[in-house]
Amino acid sequence: MSIQKLAEKELQLNSIVISLKGTIEEKEAQIFELKLPEEFKKLHFEYAELSNENVEAIKRGLFLYWFSLSEPMFLTGICEIDQVANRKIITNIEKIIDADKIDYELSWMLSYYKEWDWIFDNYKSDEKFYNALLSSNVSLPKINKGQMLDRGLMGKYWNSLN
């Protein structure tokens, strides 16, 4: 699936989640009934598959992992992310770090995520990634809303911060 189609699918699933009614427990039951966690898991896997050659896929995959643990499932529809797929994304981030090709956007994303460093405890052994996460001190820039359009949940989230 193309990265554009993945973004469209993410937003489609998100629109289902935000349309759900009821208590937290009722929304969670609906999310499981609709198999949304499995769908998000598939999307994350697709990003991991594209992450070998696509920095955008790395950013989106990393975002979905972070988002799955930083926000409650009844708001996201995301329950569990495939750890093998996420390991692939982390490994590809380490390759970018090794090549000294980490871009500004990924740098500020890591700076933002470090506030939730516990989310990445499983990756402490990935020293280059974990050190980059903890040592990144790039301030969140003024988000260019136009640049975040068509970037799935990641773009929607970053746009919500402005």
Side-chain angles (χ1 to χ4, degrees):
M1 193 177 304
S2 74
I3 201 151
Q4 182 60 36
K5 292 288 185 197
L6 291 171
E8 291 169 10
K9 182 72 174 174
E10 276 182 68
L11 293 177
Q12 178 185 53
L13 295 174
N14 179 250
S15 69
I16 295 168
V17 172
I18 61 177
S19 74
L20 299 175
K21 305 288 184 232
T23 65
I24 290 172
E25 293 79 12
E26 290 168 340
K27 288 179 182 180
E28 287 180 348
Q30 292 170 62
I31 287 168
F32 283 117
E33 192 174 296
L34 295 167
K35 301 190 182 320
L36 297 178
E38 291 91 340
E39 292 300 315
F40 277 111
K41 195 173 189 177
K42 288 177 193 173
L43 289 172
H44 180 262
F45 180 83
E46 291 287 333
Y47 283 128
E49 289 299 298
L50 294 172
S51 72
N52 286 332
E53 67 255 357
N54 192 313
V55 175
E56 181 69 10
I58 289 171
K59 292 173 186 177
R60 292 188 197 179
L62 185 65
F63 172 82
L64 285 177
Y65 173 74
W66 170 81
F67 199 52
S68 73
L69 294 170
S70 66
E71 297 292 335
M73 194 255 302
F74 78 94
L75 294 176
T76 66
I78 308 170
C79 181
E80 184 180 319
I81 295 295
D82 184 286
Q83 294 301 316
V84 173
N86 209 58
R87 167 76 51 206
K88 185 173 190 173
I89 290 166
I90 299 298
T91 298
N92 284 322
I93 291 172
E94 288 203 315
K95 289 177 184 176
I96 290 170
I97 293 167
D98 277 343
D100 197 28
K101 292 191 175 188
I102 193 165
D103 67 19
Y104 177 68
E105 186 175 67
L106 185 56
S107 293
W108 64 251
M109 288 172 70
L110 290 174
S111 284
Y112 187 81
Y113 298 153
K114 83 176 177 182
E115 297 298 320
W116 294 266
D117 61 338
W118 58 270
I119 288 176
F120 299 98
D121 279 350
N122 291 344
Y123 300 99
K124 284 183 177 178
S125 63
D126 299 277
E127 291 179 26
K128 292 172 188 162
F129 166 77
Y130 201 72
N131 288 338
L133 175 76
L134 295 182
S135 65
S136 188
N137 286 316
V138 180
S139 298
L140 184 70
K142 180 169 176 16
I143 303 296
N144 180 324
K145 289 188 180 262
Q147 288 180 345
M148 289 297 162
L149 294 175
D150 302 322
R151 293 178 81 184
L153 284 175
M154 181 184 80
K156 184 176 180 179
Y157 179 83
W158 296 127
N159 274 341
S160 76
L161 297 181
N162 272 354

